[in-house]
Amino acid sequence: MASERDQHEHLRPDGTEPLARIAVDYTPDACRHAPESGEIHVTYDDRGGARWRSRSRFLPGGAVAAAVRAPAGDTAGLNYNLYLSSLEGSGDMDEIDFEFLGNDKRAVQTNFFVAGSGGREAVHELPFDSSDGFHHYAVAWDAEAIEWRVDGEVLRREERRDGEEPWPEKPMFLYASFWDASGVDEGRWTGTYHGRDAPYVCSYRDVRVPVALSTEEEEEECQDDADAGDEADAAGAAEEEMDAGDGED
C-alpha cells in the first residue's frame, strides 16, 4: 500500500520537474521551505500570512501541480490557494486559480482571468475534507483549453471557443498565499475570521512545474531563510538561500 508521501506520485503531470527554489513576496518568517523534503509550510497567525512563488514564469503548453493539505480547525474567513499569475496585483494580469474558502473545507473555487478581467468563478464540492490529508491539485493549460484536476480527476475544463476569444496566454508564475479574506463581499465569500484555532498551517509538497516552458529567472537579491518541514523535520532542516520579492497585497 502506498505511503501518504508517495500516493500521488503517479499523478505527476508529464513534462514537469520539482520546484526547487522559491521567492517569498512578504512575511518570509511565516513561510518555511524544506527543499530536501519538497515541502512548503505557510502559517497564518498574528503576523498575517505569506505568499510564495516560483522564481520563473511558465509559458502555456504545460502543467503545474502540488499536493496540498489545508489547515485544521475553524478556518472561517481565510483563503489559501494555488494559482498561476503573470504578476500578482497587476491590472492586466492573466491568472488561473484554485482557491480554498475557509468556511467550507469540502469545496474549492476555480477561476481564470484574462488581462485583469475575471468573473469566471465556479465552486466545486469535494469528496473529502481538504484538511484531512494531502490531496493532489493540478492545472494544465495551453492556447486551446484549461483543465483543473483533483486527485487525477478533471474537475473543470474550459475550451477556447475560437482563436479570437480572450485567453490567458502571458507567461505566469506559480503562486500560493494564505490571507484573511473576511472583507471580501462582506464576509460572504470565505466567512468571518475568528482565529480561535490559530496558528493555522497550510502545507504544500511535491510541487511540480514545467521543465522546458519557462522564461528566465528573475535576478533578485537573495536572503537566507531557515528550511523547515513539519515539526518532526524542523530539527534537521538545512538553510537555503531564498529570494525576497517586492510587493504585498
Side-chain angles (χ1 to χ4, degrees):
M1 186 174 181
S3 69
E4 187 183 6
R5 181 165 295 280
D6 62 15
Q7 66 178 325
H8 300 120
E9 185 172 350
H10 67 289
L11 301 178
R12 292 173 180 170
D14 292 340
T16 64
E17 64 183 356
L19 176 64
R21 303 178 69 188
I22 66 172
V24 181
D25 288 338
Y26 60 86
T27 326
D29 59 334
C31 181
R32 310 279 291 187
H33 182 207
E36 291 182 1
S37 65
E39 296 192 357
I40 303 169
H41 302 269
V42 184
T43 299
Y44 188 91
D45 55 18
D46 56 5
R47 297 168 295 183
R51 183 174 68 221
W52 63 263
R53 61 176 171 83
S54 61
R55 296 180 60 196
S56 300
R57 292 182 174 95
F58 304 102
L59 299 166
V64 295
V68 183
R69 183 179 63 204
D74 176 3
T75 55
L78 296 174
N79 177 293
Y80 30 97
N81 47 59
L82 184 73
Y83 64 103
L84 291 150
S85 178
S86 55
L87 185 62
E88 171 64 37
S90 172
D92 66 348
M93 67 184 180
D94 288 355
E95 186 170 304
I96 306 172
D97 302 332
F98 269 117
E99 295 192 89
F100 299 90
L101 312 179
N103 59 350
D104 187 355
K105 285 189 276 192
R106 301 188 70 91
V108 67
Q109 178 177 291
T110 60
N111 194 11
F112 69 99
F113 291 74
V114 182
S117 175
R120 302 172 178 89
E121 301 92 342
V123 177
H124 313 268
E125 185 177 349
L126 296 171
F128 52 80
D129 181 320
S130 56
S131 67
D132 69 1
F134 282 91
H135 291 271
H136 192 268
Y137 304 85
V139 173
W141 83 108
D142 59 24
E144 304 300 327
I146 306 167
E147 281 191 357
W148 294 259
R149 304 169 186 161
V150 177
D151 288 342
E153 300 294 327
V154 176
L155 184 71
R156 177 181 178 184
R157 178 179 171 88
E158 292 286 341
E159 296 185 0
R160 194 175 191 179
R161 289 188 291 270
D162 58 63
E164 301 303 316
E165 181 185 8
W167 199 250
E169 295 182 299
K170 297 182 178 76
M172 291 189 281
F173 294 105
L174 177 63
Y175 282 93
S177 65
F178 197 1
W179 57 291
D180 179 1
S182 296
V184 178
D185 194 23
E186 298 181 339
R188 285 185 287 269
W189 189 41
T190 63
T192 300
Y193 180 68
H194 304 293
R196 58 175 59 98
D197 294 318
Y200 301 95
V201 178
C202 188
S203 297
Y204 303 80
R205 71 180 182 206
D206 195 23
V207 183
R208 311 286 296 188
V209 293
V211 174
L213 300 174
S214 62
T215 60
E216 291 185 7
E217 287 192 353
E218 292 185 331
E219 292 296 328
E220 298 182 9
E221 238 177 74
C222 291
Q223 70 173 34
D224 289 333
D225 184 57
D227 300 331
D230 51 29
E231 189 172 342
D233 295 334
E239 287 192 351
E240 181 199 28
E241 263 193 350
M242 295 176 63
D243 287 356
D246 22 277
E248 178 176 351
D249 287 341

